[in-house]
């Protein structure tokens, strides 16, 4: 069950400046500057960053509840280097400009993303789904996802008390019903 893209916190933005798309999906975070010509490292929140690294436009903004101040940048060049991307953005010509972007989130319009294949999901679509087990017991809602070297992990709970961590693998996640806003899992309530 591949997961193609992630949102930093699963929340869809409600107010965006400068015409940022209402369907913005956060895909990664800008890291350190690279070299002296304005390139930046990007930590992807996705298991296939090459699928979105060629999009012509990225939106950059701060990690906040209301996501104000997002700005559009043309993507000049982007290459995969290990588990990170190396990107060159329009208007970012030197190391000083690149360093000023450190920590900003990278987002794109949901419509610009490629469609998911059968059995593939964007993380942002999973956050908020009701999780029930094979006994029809509610385990809570998907609060977020974690990427581990082995597989993605669902954070499930009510947002107040304890959370359960469920591996997002076919042996555990039996059914994903995006239209019905639920997941059915092979996981006991007392685990």
């Amino acid at each position: 069950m591949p997961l193609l893209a992630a949102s930093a916190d699963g929340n869809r933005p409600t107010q965006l400046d400068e015409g940022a798309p209402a369907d913005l999906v956060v895909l990664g975070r800008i890291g350190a500057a690279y070299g002296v010509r304005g390139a930046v490292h990007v930590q992807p929140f996705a298991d296939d960053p090459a699928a979105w690294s060629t999009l012509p436009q990225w939106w950059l903004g701060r990690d906040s509840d209301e996501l104000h101040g997002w700005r559009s940048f043309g993507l000049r060049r982007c290459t995969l280097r290990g588990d990170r991307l190396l990107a060159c953005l329009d208007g970012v010509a030197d190391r000083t400009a690149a360093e000023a972007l450190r920590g900003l989130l990278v987002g794109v319009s949901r419509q610009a993303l490629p469609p998911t294949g059968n059995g593939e999901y964007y993380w942002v679509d999973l956050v908020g789904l009701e999780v029930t087990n094979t006994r029809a017991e509610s385990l809570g809602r998907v609060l977020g996802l974690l990427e581990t070297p082995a597989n993605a992990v669902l954070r499930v709970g009510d947002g107040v008390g304890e959370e359960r961590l469920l591996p997002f693998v076919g042996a555990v996640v039996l059914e994903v019903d995006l239209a019905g806003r639920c997941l059915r899992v092979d996981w006991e309530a007392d685990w």
Side-chain angles (χ1 to χ4, degrees):
M1 271 186 234
L3 299 170
L4 298 177
S7 170
D9 61 7
N11 294 324
R12 294 176 192 255
T14 55
Q15 282 187 301
L16 302 169
D17 292 341
E18 297 190 26
D23 63 345
L24 190 75
V25 175
V26 175
L27 297 176
R29 183 181 306 275
I30 302 287
Y34 177 83
V36 296
R37 296 190 180 152
V40 293
H41 287 279
V42 180
Q43 174 193 359
F45 301 148
D47 63 354
D48 187 11
W52 53 271
S53 65
T54 59
L55 296 170
Q57 180 183 36
W58 284 1
W59 290 89
L60 303 184
R62 300 246 173 252
D63 188 8
S64 68
D65 292 337
E66 296 185 23
L67 299 176
H68 288 291
W70 286 72
R71 293 184 9 205
S72 172
F73 288 83
L75 182 62
R76 289 192 331 247
R77 185 174 65 249
C78 189
T79 58
L80 192 58
R81 297 262 176 110
D83 62 347
R84 294 186 183 265
L85 295 169
L86 185 59
C88 295
L89 303 168
D90 288 341
V92 183
D94 58 27
R95 184 172 186 86
T96 302
E99 287 173 346
L101 301 178
R102 187 179 190 134
L104 293 181
L105 296 174
V106 176
V108 298
S109 167
R110 173 60 184 263
Q111 293 177 352
L113 295 172
T116 58
N118 188 30
E120 295 179 333
Y121 308 94
Y122 285 108
W123 285 16
V124 69
D125 294 335
L126 298 176
V127 173
L129 296 184
E130 180 69 27
V131 179
T132 58
N133 64 15
T134 56
R135 299 175 192 257
E137 298 170 315
S138 176
L139 302 180
R141 295 195 176 279
V142 177
L143 303 173
L145 291 100
L146 305 171
E147 186 65 44
T148 69
N151 52 264
V153 175
L154 297 168
R155 291 179 37 239
V156 177
D158 61 9
V160 178
E162 291 184 27
E163 292 181 10
R164 291 180 173 84
L165 300 177
L166 284 69
F168 193 80
V169 295
V172 173
V173 179
L174 305 176
E175 179 183 5
V176 177
D177 181 0
L178 293 178
R181 305 285 304 145
C182 63
L183 283 171
R184 192 169 62 85
V185 297
D186 187 7
W187 201 265
E188 294 301 322
D190 59 352
W191 290 355

